[in-house]
Amino acid sequence: MEQFLKQWFDEYDKGKGVEAKSLCEETQSQWSQLLEQAKSGHLDDWKRSPPGRMSLILLMGPIAHLLEDNDVDLLHPKAKELCIEGVSLGFDTQLDPVQRRCFYDPLFYSSVTEDRQLLLRLLQGMQSQVESMQRPAWNDWYKQASVN
């Protein structure tokens, strides 16, 4: 899990999100294997920790989309469920702001009004915790969440 998260955030921190074309074949292969393990339930114990749950959310959300997995439409609801359950457990509050943005990804891409309202409440609650260096990126993301 730690290696996966390091790889993800190394790519994510480059400023453009994570793009398939920027990933080497080895990383894509490793992520594909992790996704298959997550889909088959072999990584369910990851749900017990904030970083583990975030890893599953990333695998079943952005990674499935990035790798063009055939089950992407079935996985998004699972990622959303992991997110909402994780919020109720307070797991999101144990992550730094950039990690929380990734944790909330399924809410950001949801078309359900209640999900969007929850996302905006969570982001409003984060506002005071965002350091001044991160504030422009956070403000942009908040504006996007408000519009969509």
Side-chain angles (χ1 to χ4, degrees):
M1 170 190 3
E2 290 84 15
Q3 180 185 358
F4 164 69
L5 289 175
K6 181 179 177 348
Q7 290 171 326
W8 173 265
F9 284 107
D10 283 351
E11 288 295 320
Y12 192 83
D13 286 341
K14 291 179 182 173
K16 295 182 181 179
V18 179
E19 300 174 335
K21 64 184 177 189
S22 69
L23 300 173
C24 69
E25 285 184 38
E26 182 181 349
T27 298
Q28 288 186 37
S29 176
Q30 289 171 352
W31 289 6
S32 181
Q33 290 173 11
L34 284 173
L35 177 58
E36 289 305 315
Q37 290 176 332
K39 287 167 46 175
S40 67
H42 288 96
L43 304 179
D44 282 354
D45 61 327
W46 286 13
K47 290 190 266 189
R48 295 188 206 130
S49 74
R53 188 170 286 261
M54 179 181 53
S55 296
L56 290 172
I57 290 168
L58 291 171
L59 286 166
M60 293 185 189
I63 299 295
H65 180 75
L66 189 76
L67 299 177
E68 299 176 354
D69 188 85
N70 292 334
D71 296 324
V72 70
D73 292 333
L74 300 172
L75 294 172
H76 178 77
K78 292 180 181 185
K80 186 173 87 168
E81 181 181 323
L82 286 166
C83 173
I84 292 171
E85 217 175 68
V87 167
S88 71
L89 293 168
F91 280 10
D92 57 321
T93 62
Q94 298 176 46
L95 302 168
D96 70 40
V98 173
Q99 293 172 327
R100 286 174 78 173
R101 187 267 181 250
C102 293
F103 196 93
Y104 300 150
D105 194 70
L107 300 176
F108 187 80
Y109 291 104
S110 176
S111 59
V112 177
T113 302
E114 292 81 14
D115 296 341
R116 305 294 296 179
Q117 290 171 343
L118 173 59
L119 174 63
L120 290 173
R121 284 193 310 273
L122 292 167
L123 292 176
Q124 288 167 346
M126 280 179 60
Q127 187 172 10
S128 65
Q129 299 170 358
V130 177
E131 295 177 22
S132 59
M133 283 180 52
Q134 296 172 324
R135 196 164 302 277
W138 182 89
N139 283 333
D140 288 345
W141 196 63
Y142 182 77
K143 286 177 192 172
Q144 284 180 319
S146 299
V147 171
N148 289 336

